[in-house]
Amino acid sequence: MRILFMGTPEYALFGLRALCDAGENVIGVVTQPDKPKGRGYELCPPPVKVFAMEKGLPVYQPETLRNGAFDEELRALAPDLIVVVAYGKILPQSVLDMPKYGCINVHGSLLPAYRGAAPMQRAIIDGRTETGVTTMQMAAGLDTGDMLVTVRVPIGENDNFEDMHDRLGAAGAEALLETLARLRAGTLVAVPQDDSKATYAAKIEKADCLLDFSKPARVLHDQIRGLSPFPLAFTRTPDGRMLKVPESRVGSEKTATDAKFGTVLALSDRIVVACGEGTTLEILRVLPEGKGRMSAADYIRGRRLTVGDILG
């Protein structure tokens, strides 16, 4: 099959690399345009473009796919199948209908749960103990297409977004190759999604990152690890400075009933904070405003907090 790949970030590399390693006929790669980064605003290529160029694959970076803007190039490429992994743009119907076998997407959730932009982060934030990857036949709706192959992946109690990103990327590559094998064998079965069970994984916004210590420690811990290593959950110190939190644990001890939410209860190699329902959160690593990441112990040695201070 003539396979055209569409993807942009590092997560998409798992699928593209798997196709190349399996000897598939990848005729080209479509990715988003280079974007300015850093203080100098230098144009930086997306990870998929860098990998594709190393492999000698043709790269296309259309500004838009709308209104047939890329249809002429697509017709010239004549793909039998388009594989989409975290491309970042909506595919119009003209693109969905063009390949003989349509467009197959690798989505980072167990559909129909967590349709949308941030399925991996939201599953962790919601305290799920399992997620997975689903390949689907793409349709016009947002992640509404028929399901093809599913791979389940457990979430450990301290796994963060970085851990699950790589684990789900590998699972997605496995699901993609299995999908192609079944397609060739004529055994691929498309299963419609149950829309009544659908949930939506909205894009992560700044409001999602603010820690509310009136919530139980378990809820805050899930929030912290779902947002780590980026964009990171945060609170504010008594002087108003932002303090981001890359790593935490749920405390083993209960607080006194009169402890205010956000009160610093103890300082050692960690920062112990009073939370809702009499629980405690242990902050293990921090990113202070204007500083680099450091252990809580190093932050404490800088005398930036004292017992009795209130965060938030």
Side-chain angles (χ1 to χ4, degrees):
M1 289 185 293
R2 293 173 57 81
I3 298 175
L4 181 66
F5 185 87
M6 291 185 168
T8 301
E10 287 188 11
Y11 181 72
L13 287 179
F14 288 90
L16 179 56
R17 188 179 292 113
L19 292 174
C20 293
D21 290 347
E24 295 288 351
N25 182 23
V26 181
I27 59 172
V29 168
V30 180
T31 189
Q32 296 218 35
D34 297 0
K35 293 188 177 177
K37 287 186 178 181
R39 293 182 179 178
Y41 290 96
E42 294 183 8
L43 285 177
C44 293
V48 163
K49 177 182 179 180
V50 174
F51 179 85
M53 293 181 69
E54 290 173 354
K55 290 289 186 180
L57 298 172
V59 176
Y60 306 89
Q61 295 178 279
E63 290 288 343
T64 182
L65 302 178
R66 296 177 183 174
N67 303 317
F70 192 60
D71 285 4
E72 186 175 341
E73 289 89 340
L74 273 179
R75 279 190 288 269
L77 286 165
D80 296 314
L81 173 71
I82 294 178
V83 171
V84 183
V85 186
Y87 174 48
K89 290 182 183 290
I90 300 295
L91 271 59
Q93 196 64 47
S94 62
V95 175
L96 296 175
D97 292 341
M98 196 169 294
K100 176 180 179 181
Y101 298 109
C103 302
I104 290 176
N105 176 247
V106 182
H107 185 73
S109 80
L110 298 174
L111 290 171
Y114 297 107
R115 295 173 178 173
M120 290 181 275
Q121 296 100 316
R122 294 291 179 185
I124 300 169
I125 290 170
D126 289 348
R128 301 291 184 186
T129 58
E130 183 183 60
T131 184
V133 173
T134 308
T135 59
M136 66 176 171
Q137 194 78 47
M138 293 182 71
L142 179 64
D143 300 325
T144 58
D146 291 351
M147 300 178 292
L148 303 172
V149 172
T150 297
V151 176
R152 295 181 176 273
V153 179
I155 304 175
E157 66 175 341
N158 294 314
D159 285 336
N160 65 14
F161 172 44
E162 184 174 34
D163 298 325
M164 297 309 299
H165 174 278
D166 293 353
R167 209 172 295 158
L168 288 166
E174 175 189 341
L176 175 59
L177 295 183
E178 178 64 22
T179 301
L180 297 184
R182 294 185 192 180
L183 177 60
R184 287 195 174 92
T187 59
L188 189 61
V189 177
V191 179
Q193 296 187 42
D194 183 347
D195 291 340
S196 69
K197 297 181 179 178
T199 57
Y200 180 63
K203 179 182 176 183
I204 300 295
E205 304 288 352
K206 187 174 182 180
D208 296 309
C209 303
L210 178 62
L211 293 169
D212 177 359
F213 290 105
S214 69
K215 296 178 180 179
R218 170 58 62 183
V219 173
L220 297 173
H221 175 60
D222 293 340
Q223 179 185 0
I224 289 165
R225 61 199 183 94
L227 299 171
S228 182
F230 181 84
L232 292 179
F234 72 91
T235 184
R236 292 196 180 274
T237 54
D239 60 3
R241 290 180 175 271
M242 181 180 287
L243 183 67
K244 294 186 176 182
V245 184
E247 187 179 356
S248 65
R249 291 292 184 271
V250 176
S252 58
E253 297 183 7
K254 295 287 185 177
T255 66
T257 55
D258 60 347
K260 291 184 178 180
F261 304 136
T263 300
V264 176
L265 300 174
L267 296 170
S268 55
D269 60 341
R270 59 199 63 199
I271 303 166
V272 182
V273 185
C275 303
E277 299 182 5
T279 59
T280 57
L281 182 74
E282 299 179 355
I283 296 174
L284 306 183
R285 295 188 65 79
V286 296
L287 175 61
E289 188 173 321
K291 303 285 184 179
R293 297 188 188 211
M294 63 181 70
S295 68
D298 286 342
Y299 181 74
I300 291 164
R301 277 194 286 272
R303 298 179 182 275
R304 295 180 175 91
L305 278 181
T306 59
V307 172
D309 282 346
I310 298 177
L311 300 176

